[in-house]
Amino acid sequence: MMAAAAAAAAGPRRGRLGREARASLAAFLLGASVAALPVALGSPPALLASPGLRGRLALALHVAGVNAALLLLYPRPLYKIAVRACFLGFAFGCGLLLSAGRSAWRHFGWYMCSLSLFHYSEYLVTAINNPRSLSLDSFLLNHSFEYNLAALSSWVEFTLEKLLFPELKQITWLSTVGLLMVIFGDCLRKAAMLTAGSNFNHIVQNEKSDTHTLVTSGVYGWFRHPSYVGWFYWSIGTQVLLCNPICVVGYALASWRFFRERIEEEEITLIHFFGEEYLEYKRKVPSGLPFIKGVKVEL
């Protein structure tokens, strides 16, 4: 799922965009171009809030036209990448449309932008950082059943509470706090990925190569597990943004439990890899997650 917390770096940073990254970026932007539909139609910016027949037809034609373009531009291996990136771009563009104006779905639009950008940037940063590990799974769209269930639960809660308690979903200051949490969490996670370099992998590595070195600089000087810290606060922030009281509690508890177990599991491997070097690092730098100290070492 995510790379080992104190990730190892081997060799120089990768900075070039390969063809997979270029295809994904072009497709993401193509999908996001849906946000330009109001300009093309001469409609209000909040097109999705009340699209009407003309708006729905424009959205359908946009989706069909973009998919046809991807089929013509890319062979099948790249098309699989492009269509996923385009889907995320489309979700991002739709989020921008929902965010426009004073629609009751405005904050859900912020959420759509945050969610789609998180998943796309996971792929793009991996493509830049560690192209050898790049795969369709790098989008994290098929992350796990539990992850998908949690996302679905948040959508259901938002919709039901919007119908039953509409004023609850219009607390702009609270949604703004959630948006700031989301931005902080995602930026911290991406900084961790970039700092770790080519050894950051969405699949935890259990074998140490001769070139692995312990990274303790940058954001790893703040926290031992910055990618987990970022994801933890990003996930909770999405629910604060949506003003979902039930999912805020549920996400916090589930994420905390997951990361506690994952950190203990990973630190056993890291101690095996780096021995006293990691133990000294562990003594000096906190995990970054509340009430999680990591694996206990008997001296």
Side-chain angles (χ1 to χ4, degrees):
M1 176 177 135
M2 290 182 280
R13 296 267 181 90
R14 251 55 66 184
R16 291 183 58 189
L17 287 179
R19 62 173 190 163
E20 292 88 354
R22 292 196 301 271
S24 74
L25 184 57
F28 181 86
L29 294 174
L30 191 59
S33 67
V34 69
L37 281 183
V39 176
L41 296 174
S43 303
L47 174 67
L48 293 185
S50 53
L53 180 60
R54 187 176 175 216
R56 292 190 185 96
L57 182 60
L59 287 171
L61 289 174
H62 180 272
V63 170
V66 165
N67 188 54
L70 296 179
L71 285 168
L72 289 172
L73 288 171
Y74 300 114
R76 184 161 182 78
L78 283 181
Y79 172 77
K80 291 181 179 179
I81 296 168
V83 75
R84 287 164 173 79
C86 186
F87 165 74
L88 291 171
F90 182 77
F92 182 83
C94 288
L96 290 177
L97 291 176
L98 284 175
S99 301
R102 308 298 299 179
S103 165
W105 290 90
R106 181 185 181 198
H107 297 153
F108 195 83
W110 295 3
Y111 167 81
M112 287 180 65
C113 289
S114 303
L115 185 66
S116 56
L117 193 59
F118 172 83
H119 282 281
Y120 175 67
S121 60
E122 287 288 311
Y123 183 89
L124 184 63
V125 173
T126 302
I128 296 170
N129 226 27
N130 191 8
R132 290 185 178 181
S133 71
L134 193 65
S135 71
L136 293 177
D137 291 339
S138 300
F139 286 108
L140 299 185
L141 291 173
N142 57 341
H143 181 279
S144 66
F145 172 78
E146 291 79 7
Y147 181 84
N148 294 334
L149 181 62
L152 180 61
S153 298
S154 73
W155 305 340
V156 170
E157 180 183 352
F158 180 88
T159 303
L160 290 177
E161 289 175 352
K162 181 179 177 298
L163 292 172
L164 297 173
F165 314 106
E167 66 282 356
L168 180 64
K169 302 305 178 184
Q170 299 301 314
I171 309 176
T172 299
W173 71 264
L174 185 58
S175 291
T176 302
V177 170
L179 183 61
L180 292 174
M181 291 176 65
V182 163
I183 293 171
F184 165 77
D186 202 6
C187 288
L188 178 60
R189 177 166 168 80
K190 298 312 183 291
M193 294 173 70
L194 291 168
T195 303
S198 62
N199 263 51
F200 192 99
N201 197 306
H202 286 113
I203 301 174
V204 177
Q205 305 298 293
N206 293 315
E207 294 184 7
K208 181 178 182 290
S209 77
D210 294 336
T211 55
H212 285 176
T213 56
L214 186 66
V215 175
T216 60
S217 60
V219 291
Y220 287 90
W222 306 346
F223 313 118
R224 296 198 309 274
H225 303 270
S227 68
Y228 291 167
V229 175
W231 201 334
F232 178 76
Y233 287 108
W234 175 87
S235 66
I236 298 172
T238 62
Q239 300 313 299
V240 176
L241 190 162
L242 291 175
C243 301
N244 279 353
I246 297 173
C247 280
V248 165
V249 175
Y251 272 50
L253 293 176
S255 297
W256 185 88
R257 181 178 179 181
F258 171 81
F259 288 124
R260 182 194 63 182
E261 295 174 354
R262 178 55 65 90
I263 286 172
E264 290 179 355
E265 175 188 338
E266 286 188 2
E267 290 196 333
I268 293 172
T269 301
L270 290 166
I271 292 169
H272 176 70
F273 282 2
F274 302 109
E276 185 59 34
E277 184 183 6
Y278 185 78
L279 291 174
E280 180 64 21
Y281 172 64
K282 184 177 185 295
R283 283 191 286 268
K284 292 180 178 179
V285 180
S287 71
L289 290 164
F291 311 109
I292 296 179
K293 296 183 178 181
V295 67
K296 294 181 180 178
V297 180
E298 298 292 336
L299 300 176

